[in-house]
Each structure stands twice: as structure tokens, then as C-alpha cells.
Amino acid sequence: MTDLSRLKQPLTLRCGATISNRIGKSAMSEGLGTADNRPTDKLVKLYRTWAEGGTGLVITGNIMVDRLALGEPGNVAIEDERDLELLRRWAAAGQRHQSQLWVQLNHPGKQSPKMLSSEPVAPSAIPLDPRLQRFFQTPRALTEAEIEGLIERFAKAAAVVEKAGFAGVQIHGAHGYLVSQFLSPLHNQRQDRWGGSLENRARFVLEIYRAIRQRVSPGFPVSIKLNSADFQRGGFTAEESMAVAEMLDTAGMDLIEISGGNYESPNMTGRRQAASTQAREAYFLEYAEQIRDRVSTALMVTGGFRTAAGMAAAVADGATDMVGLARPLAVCPDFSARVLSGSDSEITIKPRITGIAMIDDMAMMETVWYARQLERIAEGRRPKPNESPLRVFLRQVLRTGVNSVRTLRARPG
Ligand SMILES: Cc1cc2nc3c(=O)[nH]c(=O)nc-3n(C[C@H](O)[C@H](O)[C@H](O)COP(=O)(O)O)c2cc1C
């Protein structure tokens, strides 16, 4: 019998907020916003369902701080208080039981697709690798004034998030989006105070953290999702990541969620994990064990957890304070309650492939298939674990095209 007592234990963060158990729902982009990137009632329904599912901490899919810089059509953006009423309903529905609902804030930088962005921005004007250039334009380097403006956008969005009643925020510092581009020596080749040394590359995220801290209450959790590494030659390494984790710890960060990879090297969903890592279930546990002694910030490791025994061991061993789940909660929204009550001990998550190499090679397929399950839950239906990946893919291609056109039309001017 697995000892679940550590998984059931509440966790108090350094800001004083308490999470009711050790299972977190990691961010999953829902794509359920309107064409002009406002929240919808579908999101309220989806998060009500998760709130009933026993997960202690639920983190929203990435919400953009600039509606002109999107990762996908259907992203929600928070730039001001125009959607406060709907955000309030979303926050309330997501916290009806014992879970806390945090908002993940993001800017995609160069990982904003061509159809949504003719001139994406990034620390430096370096394109993504040639395989991805069909989908992504070469970015323009940000000016210093623009960098300051983006920091302010994160802070302003966080203030709106707190006002709406969400319980915390998370900066998306992982997966190759703008914050992670700044951290990477491969993507950030600036010569000014925002590039070069690790200290300079980390300035952007630290300034975002400080600006948010100044705008929210002292008891409001501020966290980050950070890559343990980018897994690219010349990229952000595990050693650099650990040094950044120490800087964030010193600055006062409440929780660091550990992930890894980016669009060029998609390790976040486990496609390229070594067999030894897969045998340990979670992808980034070794990294967590190494930083555990170096930081006092709470840690959450996400990626690969599928069994009660694996999750309980990761927390009991002290490698991490929390375990993060994404795909399991898209096909079984109450998996956490089932694990904690002892009624379920395992979930099978198989690769979602169409069988067509060209499509499957784009790591996007997993995301598309799971996002479709989120949409089903948001419509009050049950997830469909055997839904055909090819059918979902074709449907998504069509919808992305239509939604992108709608989004471009909805833009002023
Ligand atoms: C549909 C989908 C959307 C995702 N969107 C986000 C996102 O918005 N922000 C983020 O940090 N990670 C995102 N991820 C990555 C997950 O949070 C998580 O790191 C990854 O799926 C590994 O966890 P898992 O093995 O439990 O699925 C997404 C994953 C999926 C499947």
C-alpha cells in the first residue's frame, strides 16, 4: 500500500498562503478565449470541474500580457480591468472547494506563430531553427524601453489577477517563451545590461518578479515555471538554471515549478527523455534533488507523474514539495481526488500520434489533442480518451485558421 500521508499534507509557502495538498495542476493552454482574447464562460465551467477534483493548487493555462503577442489564437490576455467581472467568476468557480487557483502570465516572444504576428519580438533578432521557420518569423530585438514596458505589463496583469480574486500568479519562465529566451545565451545575444552574463540575462525575470511583488499584497503567492535546462547545445544549462533558482530564492519567490525544453527541443512532454529518467517516472526529479539543498523556495516538479506511488515517493524523498500534473488532469479531471482517496493508483497516458510522420514530428500534436479534451470538459462533456488524433488535428487546423483570421480582424486599425 502506498503511504499517501505526505501527499495529503498541506504546504505553507513563505508568503504565508497554504496549499491544501501536494498535487498541483500545471498550466495547460485552453485556447478558450474569444477572438479578441477575452475570457469566456467555458473557462468558468472548466475550472469549476477542476476545483471539484481534489487538486490542491490549480494553475491556469498561459494568459498573455499583450494581446498583440499571442502564442495561439484563443489565448486570454489581461492588459487592464476590462474583463474584471468574468475574471471574478472564473476565480470564484475555480476555488469553490479547497483548491487555490493561480494565473500563469506569459509573453511568447519569438514563439508567436506567423499567422498571428508579422513581427514578433525577442531579446535578439535570432530566428528559431530552420525546421520551425515555416511557422515563425524572425523576431525583432526589443529596445530597452520596450523591455521596461513589458515588465510593467506583467506587474499590471498580476495586480488585476489579484483584484479578480485569484489566489496567486505564476511567471511563465519555461518552454522557450520570452522569459526563457532572455535566460538563454543562444537566444539572448544582447550586449547591454539585459544580455551577456547570467546575471544580465536573469535581469528580465528578476525585474518582473520585483515589479509584481510591489503591486500585489505580501500574502499573495508569486511563483515561476522554470526550465531545468533547454537541452540545446549552447543553450541554458542545468547549472545556469540552478544559479537562477538561487537568485529567485534570494529575491523571495514563493514556489519554483520545474520543467524543461522549448519548441526547438520539446522535452516538456517527455518525447526526448532518457530511458533512465522515464524509469523514475518524472522527467526533472534529478534536477530537483540537486537544487533542493541550494534553495529554500518550495519546489514543484512537473512532467511524467502517472502513479500514486511515484508521486508519493517524490514528495516523501524530499526531492520536491509538490508534484505537478498536466495531461492526466485533461483526461481525468478528478484524478487527484482519486489518488488521495486511494481509489486510483495509476493513469495511462499514451502518446497521441496520427501515424503521419510529418504531423507527429511537430511536437504540437500532443498539445492539440489534450486541448481538445479541455474543450470537451468546458462544454460539460466527458473527456474522450480514445478520440482519434488525426480527426482532432484536422479539426484544429481548420479552427486555428478561422480563429487567427478572426483575431486579426478583431485588432484595432
Ligand atoms: C494541452 C497542453 C497545453 C499546455 N500549455 C501549457 C501552458 O500554457 N503553460 C505551461 O507552462 N505549460 C503548458 N503545458 C505543459 C504542461 O504544463 C506540462 O509541463 C507538461 O505537459 C508535462 O506534464 P505532464 O506529463 O503531466 O503532462 C501544456 C501541456 C499540454 C498537454
Side-chain angles (χ1 to χ4, degrees), residues 25-30 59-64 72 75 104 106 170 172-175 177 225 257-260 267-270 281 283-284 302-306 324-330 349 366-372 374:
K25 179 217 151 269
S26 195
M28 279 187 279
S29 193
E30 312 87 4
I59 303 176
T60 67
N62 59 174
I63 288 189
M64 301 296 151
E72 304 132 33
N75 283 152
Q104 186 185 61
N106 193 20
Q170 180 178 71
H172 196 345
H175 303 169
Y177 296 105
K225 188 161 180 176
E257 180 184 354
I258 299 154
S259 188
N267 284 48
M268 49 282 210
T269 50
E281 192 164 325
Y283 313 145
F284 307 114
T302 297
F305 284 111
R306 304 294 177 253
L325 299 175
R327 286 165 291 176
L329 295 174
I349 296 294
E366 286 275 309
T367 316
V368 167
W369 191 88
Y370 285 95
R372 168 70 186 135
L374 304 190

